[in-house]
Amino acid sequence: MFCPQCGAPNEDEAVFCGNCGAVLDPDELDAEASQEVVAEESAEDPPEEAPGAEVEEAGDLAPVSDEAPAVPPPPPPPPPPPSPPIHGGSVQTSGMAIASLVMGVAGWTLLPLVGSVLAIIFGNMARREIRQRPDELTGDGMAVAGLVLGWLSVGVSILALCLGGIGLCFFFGVLGAGGY
């Protein structure tokens, strides 16, 4: 059952709206109230009042009238979904692109191989994220810079390992051939 005031969904047996507190079915409430009033009047046997008189007890009963209850209006349509927030036309820089650039620099200074691999991973993730949401995110240049720094650092590391291995082989080969 939907509230006729605010359109919020409620349980079928609810009398009042859980959202705004409005009466969900005024006809049903009037019928219940008049049945309670008749039961109380017959138990107390007070002097009869004029037809159409209002009977209230503790201020929570609706007036009793001889008129036919009005048909409740249909519930209003549900409110439209909230619109996405408008940032005034500004777009954000991708956090992954920033991380890629930072890790690319760290791959050359603080974390030689680990930073470079992370720069490559973050750079690829950032470029995919920016391609999927071009109106919301920027930072493709930072992501590319992080990728380039990462791949260059990995390449230099592999080259250094290869040259170091060749150097060690040469060094131990010269020592072994000396006959000391």
Side-chain angles (χ1 to χ4, degrees), residues 102-117 119 149-150 153 157:
V102 169
M103 287 294 121
V105 172
W108 283 96
T109 57
L110 302 174
L111 305 167
L113 196 56
V114 175
S116 302
V117 171
L149 288 173
S153 180
S157 297

Side-chain angles (χ1 to χ4, degrees), residues 93-175:
T93 302
S94 170
M96 291 288 181
I98 295 170
S100 174
L101 183 60
V102 169
M103 287 294 121
V105 172
W108 283 96
T109 57
L110 302 174
L111 305 167
L113 196 56
V114 175
S116 302
V117 171
L118 288 175
I120 293 168
I121 292 170
F122 289 152
N124 285 320
M125 291 172 65
R127 294 198 71 204
R128 182 177 338 114
E129 183 181 45
I130 292 168
R131 279 192 301 258
Q132 288 176 350
R133 300 177 6 203
D135 296 336
E136 300 173 21
L137 294 175
T138 61
D140 192 53
M142 282 192 281
V144 169
L147 280 169
V148 168
L149 288 173
W151 280 116
L152 284 176
S153 180
V154 166
V156 168
S157 297
I158 290 173
L159 183 63
L161 287 174
C162 289
L163 290 177
I166 291 172
L168 283 176
C169 289
F170 179 72
F171 180 72
F172 287 118
V174 169
L175 286 179

Side-chain angles (χ1 to χ4, degrees), residues 5-65:
Q5 295 291 329
C6 67
N10 290 288
E11 295 179 7
D12 290 337
E13 59 272 356
V15 176
F16 298 101
C17 176
N19 188 35
C20 68
V23 177
L24 294 176
D25 192 2
D27 296 336
E28 185 176 304
L29 187 63
D30 287 343
E32 289 176 6
S34 63
Q35 288 175 356
E36 290 176 9
V37 169
V38 169
E40 288 175 6
E41 283 180 1
S42 63
E44 294 175 4
D45 282 331
E48 292 200 20
E49 297 179 12
E54 295 183 349
V55 178
E56 289 188 29
E57 183 174 311
D60 49 53
L61 297 179
V64 178
S65 65

